[in-house]
Amino acid sequence: MAFVNIAIDGPAGAGKSSLSKAVSAALGYIYVDTGALYRAVGLFMLRSGIDPKDADAVCASLGGVRVTLRFVDGQQRVFLADEDVSDAIRTPEASMAASDVSAFPPVRDFLFSLQRDIAAANNCIMDGRDIGTVVLPDAQVKVFLTASAETRAERRCKELAEKGMPTPFEDVLADIVQRDYNDSHRAIAPLRQADDAVLLDTSDLDFDAALAALMDIIKERVQ
Ligand code: DC
């Protein structure tokens, strides 16, 4: 049986995760947040006292990383060994560590088959940076979701405040600009729009309008 795969790529804070979650609920697909995998690897390094920027040390310790995804009612939880780290991976430190470790080819190889295997066995909407370009080049639907850095920083600030982690706008914006730069300038699997992806800019769209636009793109391609 062939499963439907929807690939959503774009920079941090473009709305990938909230929109993908809404699509997954509407279509009954699982939602796979691949950033959580890189965050889990980053968190593992921080907890092990390993500098996430130290390629040799990070790659040498990958053998000890046991990262898995589990789906409960279509909701993804990410585990390091037997610990559910779904909340622990959301701190600014884990974000930056994820961005750092994601630049190393062995880390990307390490997470590649995990992502591919899930997509081969499920109808899914998967979001990340290289899903349409590298992980699922044959996905039926590819969308590159973006928004201005300021819009994305505003959204992230709101999200962090709602989660009880209020953070100054300037810090969030600086973090987003730095991560955009890291993610699009790394040598391997940089953030870029796949040639056959549809560009959706949500800077001037509220959530409902963005969701409607995304659902239209999907419906045109999936019967
Ligand atoms: O989407 P996110 O903010 O949770 O992603 C965390 C980091 O992981 C991000 O800085 C880039 C990296 N990442 C990646 O390189 N490839 C992916 N498919 C997903 C995330």
Side-chain angles (χ1 to χ4, degrees):
M1 174 179 174
F3 290 97
V4 177
N5 293 162
I6 302 172
I8 309 285
D9 290 302
K16 298 189 300 289
S17 112
S18 47
L19 288 167
S20 298
K21 268 186 204 157
V23 169
S24 85
L27 299 180
Y29 291 10
I30 60 167
Y31 162 51
V32 185
D33 162 15
T34 64
L37 297 170
Y38 291 91
R39 286 168 179 269
V41 174
L43 180 68
F44 176 91
M45 299 304 155
L46 291 175
R47 285 181 171 180
S48 309
I50 293 167
D51 176 0
K53 289 185 165 53
D54 183 339
D56 290 341
V58 166
C59 298
S61 58
L62 276 178
V65 184
R66 281 205 296 130
V67 57
T68 47
L69 294 181
R70 298 181 200 169
F71 294 89
V72 183
D73 297 331
Q75 298 290 312
Q76 170 182 303
R77 306 297 297 178
V78 58
F79 284 74
L80 268 181
D82 294 325
E83 181 190 352
D84 184 338
V85 293
S86 307
D87 297 322
I89 58 171
R90 295 293 154 197
T91 63
E93 292 74 28
S95 299
M96 206 46 87
S99 183
D100 289 335
V101 301
S102 71
F104 306 140
V107 171
R108 307 201 71 84
D109 291 345
F110 176 72
L111 297 175
F112 181 79
S113 38
L114 180 57
Q115 299 167 79
R116 278 290 274 266
D117 291 350
I118 293 171
N122 297 277
N123 287 325
C124 74
I125 178 162
M126 182 177 286
D127 83 4
R129 303 295 189 286
D130 62 338
I131 309 305
T133 49
V134 177
V135 179
L136 304 177
D138 299 326
Q140 289 88 336
V141 186
K142 296 183 188 179
V143 177
F144 193 82
L145 204 64
T146 191
S148 71
E150 287 73 18
T151 307
R152 291 184 283 125
E154 271 168 31
R155 291 176 185 162
R156 203 28 71 97
C157 267
K158 208 171 143 230
E159 232 174 71
L160 286 168
E162 281 166 7
K163 285 184 184 152
M165 296 185 273
T167 315
F169 175 80
E170 292 69 32
D171 294 359
V172 176
L173 180 61
D175 180 272
I176 278 186
V177 169
Q178 180 65 52
R179 284 212 288 146
D180 280 0
Y181 184 88
N182 289 356
D183 296 346
S184 26
H185 286 80
R186 64 181 178 224
I188 182 166
L191 171 65
R192 73 167 182 85
Q193 183 178 345
D195 295 335
D196 52 352
V198 180
L199 178 68
L200 180 56
D201 186 328
T202 66
S203 301
D204 298 320
L205 302 179
D206 65 14
F207 181 80
D208 290 344
L211 180 58
L214 182 54
M215 287 300 288
D216 283 347
I217 295 168
I218 294 168
K219 280 181 198 149
E220 268 172 31
R221 289 161 181 80
V222 179
Q223 302 314 321

